[in-house]
Amino acid sequence: MNGIISFRNATVDDALFISRGFHTAMLLDGATEEKISCFAQNICVREDVLYSWRNTIIAEVDGKRAGMLTAYDGRNYHDMRVRTMALVKQHLGVEFPGMEDETVPGEYYLDSLAVLPEYRGRGIGRKLLQQGIEKGNALCLDVTLVVDPVNPKARKLYTSLGFSHSGTLFLFGHDYEKMTYTKNNP
């Protein structure tokens, strides 16, 4: 039942899957299919936003999409965030005032990770993160991510991969822990 796990860069045809993954990663599981489809059509198909298909790696099990990781170079983050958050406001009807930049130039930021429920527990999330680490390292950038302090399971996974505390950021209305990958960690 494990199947063959493979990874590929997303295409524009993955926009709906990426939208579902974004909603899962942001704990918006109650979103309607209409909202998910609207988000895909207005955000994920674009090339100039954070949650673009261009910034996403797809995990497949036996050729079926199982998970995704959206990650990107922090070099153009601020401008993309402004554009993306304006679209998110239109989509979700909410703003996030006072939000700090999650990443900066010199970093490769692992933004949104999601694995479909039927594929969880197989190490796909870990392998997607490893794909992101490899890509960031290949670009000679520091690999970073943030974790919600109320999610110790995620923090444990990140620590096991070699991430360690590197700061605190105010995002989406509360503080998150920023973590940076260190090659010397386990």
Side-chain angles (χ1 to χ4, degrees), residues 4 7 12 19-20 26 60 83 98 117 128 140 146 164 177:
I4 297 171
F7 302 92
V12 72
S19 178
R20 283 193 180 102
M26 296 300 293
E60 295 181 329
R83 187 176 310 110
L128 277 164
C140 298
V146 297
S164 59
E177 179 181 4

Side-chain angles (χ1 to χ4, degrees), residues 31-82:
T32 65
E33 276 301 310
E34 181 181 349
K35 278 201 178 260
I36 292 169
S37 179
C38 179
F39 193 89
Q41 293 169 13
N42 293 305
I43 298 176
C44 299
V45 297
R46 294 177 64 135
E47 297 182 17
D48 62 344
V49 295
L50 301 175
Y51 309 116
S52 170
W53 61 273
R54 284 207 180 265
N55 297 331
T56 305
I57 299 168
I58 302 291
E60 295 181 329
V61 175
D62 295 332
K64 295 181 182 173
R65 289 179 288 209
M68 48 88 42
L69 172 67
T70 298
Y72 40 80
D73 184 334
R75 180 182 51 221
N76 299 316
Y77 173 79
H78 185 78
D79 291 338
M80 285 198 317
R81 183 188 73 140
V82 169

Side-chain angles (χ1 to χ4, degrees), residues 116-137:
L116 292 175
E118 61 268 31
Y119 293 103
R120 291 180 187 156
R122 298 184 191 187
I124 294 169
R126 172 181 288 277
K127 289 176 181 170
L128 277 164
L129 291 166
Q130 289 168 329
Q131 292 285 312
I133 291 167
E134 288 174 20
K135 189 166 184 179
N137 285 338

Side-chain angles (χ1 to χ4, degrees), residues 18-33:
I18 295 164
S19 178
R20 283 193 180 102
F22 167 81
H23 283 79
T24 298
M26 296 300 293
L27 305 176
L28 301 170
D29 290 326
T32 65
E33 276 301 310

